Each structure stands twice: as C-alpha cells, then as structure tokens.
Amino acid sequence: MELGMIGLGRMGAGMSRRLHRAGVRVVGYDPNPEARARLAQDGIETVDRLEALVAALKPPRTVWLMVPAGDPVDQVLAQLAPLLAAGDLIVEGGNSYYRDTLRRAETLQARGLLFADVGVSGGLWGEREGYGLMAGGPPEAIERLRPILERLAPGPDRGWVHAGPVGAGHFVKMVHNGIEYALMQAYAEGFALLKAKAPFQLDLAAIAEAWRHGTIIRSFLLDLIAGVLREDAALADIAPVVADSGEGRWTVQEAVDLGVPVDTIAAALFRRFASQDPERYGDRLLAALRHAFGGHPVQRAAS
C-alpha cells in the first residue's frame, strides 16, 4: 500500500505518521520546506514538487489532500489533475463545503479520475487514538481506499463509515461539526455557572475530573476540559474570543434550506459571532435603550 499526502500541517502530518507506522508507504508534499523536513525526520519520504510526488507513486495512484478549505483546494487540484492518469484516485480530506465537493467531483470525473471526499475528525489526538472518518464516493473508490481508512481509524471495523455518494462525507462532517459547536457551548455555559457560585468555592478541575467517570455527560470533550482546568482553572490569560471554522455556518444555512430547526447549533454559532465582536455595538445600543426608557445608569467605556 502507498499513498501520496499533500498538505503536511498538523492533520496531514499526523495522518502520515499513523499510516507510516501501520506499514503504508507515504510520500508527502508540502510547499513549506520546514513541514517536509519535520516529516522526513520521522523516516517518511517527502518531495518538493507535485510532479515528483506523482512520479514516485505507482499507477493507479491514490493522492490525499489535507489543505485548507476553499481556494487552496481548487489551486492544488488545478495543478494536480493534469499530472494524473485516468483511474487515479484523489481524496479530499479537508473541511470543505459539500457543494464545492460536488462541483470538484464533476470536473475531475470528466478527466476520468476517481474522487472521494472524507471528513476527518480527531484533531491532535487522532494520530495516537485513530481518526473518525466519514467517506463519500463511488463504491469502487471507497473499496480501493478501504485499507487506508481501516488504518487511519481507531480500528478496522470502527470509527469510519462510507456515508454515501460523493459529497456525503463532507456533508456528514459538516453536521458533525455543528453538533460539536453545540456541545462545546453547553459545557462552557455549565462551567461558567459553576464558577459564578462563589460562596461554594467549587473546584472546577475536580468536578470535571469526577464527571469524566460514570456520568451521562462524559465525553472526549469533557476529557479535554478536565485537562485544561487541571493546568489553569482561572484561564486568566485566555482571550474570550472563539473563532468559527465555517462549518457551523454551513450547517445552519443547510438547516434553513431544508426547513429543519437546529436551535441549539444556531445559538452556539451566534455566540461565537458575539465573542469575535470587539465593539459589541448591539450591546452598547441595548444599554443606551435601557437608559432612554427607564433611566437606568450607563457604564461609560474607558477612554
């Protein structure tokens, strides 16, 4: 088994190392020489050009992309596709919008190339514990990819799924990330409430650790929360700004299109928007309105 990996950032490098340890020959490419050098230190082959990557693989080739969603994917595909031959398989493993995936698949299929989209979950822990994989594509593409998926996943028969045709992998990953937004928000609100009960002097780190065992809300996210609070329960050095990757937005947009209520996911997404607004104009207006109709005092911002 062999695989070309394009994109050697945190996820691409971790996946390459996991596959390498499982006996898969990985040839890695990244335009960043430092990323290539880091992977080469682990005994994994790297090349400095896409042409070299294609030449290093035996046909029919399998090339996996782990590059940022959006234009970077289109740019790599525009360079890569002319170098490949009919029957080669391209796998797109980033957090791409599934509608973009459908468009790309149509273009690549016209060239005689196989295409699969795989949503990848697991973050930094995936290299050790295994990745959650949601694959979309024709059966022949997924069957060829099966040995790779089985080695990337926590086990050959668990942690990965052929979700459906092309686009289904990224669609399922999109919904997965929407659920993740809501779960994270629920944990954040719960711990904020615990912290606010000052008279009880609650040990948040100890509570998180206890909740990890036996409770109905135990989860991998709670494991991470326990680790964070164990190191720094005050979080005084952390700015209260939470970015959104885009998949929460796509989830809510799709829910609107399908007429499916996703109240909790939408609320979690909007809370992230609020955290990114340094001006908080809406809150300022609310304070001014309270003063206008009720005479409530207004706190003045420091100049």
Side-chain angles (χ1 to χ4, degrees), residues 195 202-206 227-236:
K195 188 176 188 302
L202 299 173
D203 186 336
L204 302 191
V228 168
L229 295 179
R230 194 181 306 122
E231 292 185 8
D232 177 18
L235 304 179

Side-chain angles (χ1 to χ4, degrees), residues 7-258:
L8 305 178
R10 289 190 300 269
M11 292 290 283
M15 293 164 65
S16 297
R17 287 189 291 264
R18 183 173 176 85
L19 289 172
H20 177 69
R21 290 196 298 269
V24 177
R25 177 184 176 236
V26 177
V27 181
Y29 166 75
D30 193 291
N32 183 349
E34 294 180 358
R36 298 196 303 268
R38 285 193 296 267
L39 201 63
Q41 290 175 353
D42 296 313
I44 298 173
E45 300 174 55
T46 63
V47 294
D48 60 2
R49 294 177 298 113
L50 287 176
E51 293 84 353
L53 180 133
V54 171
L57 300 173
K58 299 176 183 177
R61 306 169 185 86
T62 299
V63 182
W64 191 305
L65 276 63
M66 288 301 292
V67 300
D71 289 340
V73 176
D74 288 317
Q75 292 169 10
V76 171
L77 290 176
Q79 299 173 54
L80 176 65
L83 304 175
L84 298 175
D88 288 345
L89 169 61
I90 295 177
V91 184
E92 211 274 274
N95 284 332
S96 288
Y97 188 29
Y98 83 97
R99 294 184 187 272
D100 291 336
T101 298
L102 294 174
R103 168 179 57 80
R104 292 165 181 149
E106 185 175 355
T107 300
L108 294 171
Q109 288 165 0
R111 289 178 169 270
L113 299 171
L114 288 172
F115 183 75
D117 55 296
V118 180
V120 182
S121 181
L124 300 177
W125 293 78
E127 180 182 346
R128 187 181 75 185
E129 306 292 339
Y131 297 90
L133 305 164
M134 296 139 265
E140 60 269 27
I142 303 304
E143 194 56 35
R144 185 193 300 183
L145 199 57
R146 176 186 290 270
I148 300 296
L149 298 174
E150 290 178 344
R151 285 159 176 78
L152 284 173
D157 57 351
R158 56 191 172 90
W160 72 275
V161 61
H162 181 191
V166 167
H170 282 153
F171 183 85
V172 172
K173 179 57 163 52
M174 176 190 75
V175 176
H176 164 283
N177 280 25
I179 294 171
E180 180 184 296
Y181 275 43
L183 291 174
M184 291 173 68
Q185 184 64 30
Y187 279 123
E189 292 175 5
F191 278 92
L193 183 58
L194 293 173
K195 188 176 188 302
K197 194 63 173 177
F200 282 173
Q201 298 182 329
L202 299 173
D203 186 336
L204 302 191
I207 292 168
E209 180 61 32
W211 279 357
R212 290 180 59 222
H213 308 281
T215 74
I216 202 68
I217 62 168
R218 63 189 184 274
S219 71
F220 178 61
L221 287 174
L222 184 57
D223 293 344
L224 296 178
I225 289 170
V228 168
L229 295 179
R230 194 181 306 122
E231 292 185 8
D232 177 18
L235 304 179
D237 294 332
I238 305 296
V241 178
V242 186
D244 69 287
S245 63
E247 294 210 319
R249 301 185 189 206
W250 299 336
T251 302
V252 173
Q253 290 168 355
E254 195 69 24
V256 171
D257 291 343
L258 295 175

